[in-house]
Amino acid sequence: VQLQASGGGSVKAGDSLRLSCAVSGRTHRMSVVGWFRRAPGKERQFVAAMWWSGGSTKYADSLKDRFTISRDNSKNTVDLQMDKLKPEDTADYYCAADIAARFLSADSRTYNYWAQGTQVTVSS
């Protein structure tokens, strides 16, 4: 399984940004795709996750009102729509795949494959 994250950039507070996680390889092994982020000097933080087959989603409580995770079947991607961005959303964003998930996990240790990060910078 290979993952590639894209869509990062520099925006102003209040703007929107859509990140995309392209999935390739043995996608039949896919179970859950999650998004995480790491701000400068901080620990990695769970953002959102969803089943690769669709259906349930899970969000960090602090982000669920502004962020939306979804799958684009035509492009084989899992996207993260981020609205009303704030300077504190500035971070490197990573998507990851859990191939043996039994539930939607917010624990990064359960994820097996990781994309390189895409940087998001939000200025005030």
Side-chain angles (χ1 to χ4, degrees):
V1 175
Q2 292 84 44
L3 305 169
Q4 184 171 4
S6 62
S10 296
V11 296
K12 293 185 178 181
D15 286 350
S16 296
L17 206 57
R18 189 175 185 89
L19 305 183
S20 185
C21 179
V23 181
S24 61
R26 298 184 177 183
T27 58
H28 65 276
R29 301 182 65 194
M30 294 288 293
S31 184
V32 168
V33 176
W35 281 95
F36 293 80
R37 69 184 186 183
R38 176 173 283 165
K42 294 189 176 181
E43 296 289 321
R44 182 162 49 192
Q45 177 190 17
F46 170 74
V47 176
M50 69 175 296
W51 293 102
W52 175 245
S53 60
S56 298
T57 57
K58 180 182 179 73
Y59 294 92
D61 287 341
S62 62
L63 301 175
K64 61 184 178 181
D65 292 333
R66 299 187 295 118
F67 288 17
T68 304
I69 189 172
S70 62
R71 180 180 172 185
D72 187 330
N73 292 328
S74 65
K75 298 180 181 179
N76 239 22
T77 63
V78 173
D79 299 336
L80 184 69
Q81 177 68 36
M82 305 186 296
D83 298 320
K84 300 178 182 177
L85 284 162
K86 304 176 180 180
E88 50 263 43
D89 294 320
T90 294
D92 289 327
Y93 284 73
Y94 303 84
C95 61
D98 181 346
I99 62 172
R102 296 184 179 182
F103 57 92
L104 295 175
S105 175
D107 186 348
S108 63
R109 295 171 297 180
T110 67
Y111 289 79
N112 313 100
Y113 298 92
W114 290 81
Q116 290 186 326
T118 184
Q119 188 174 48
V120 173
T121 302
V122 185
S123 59
S124 58

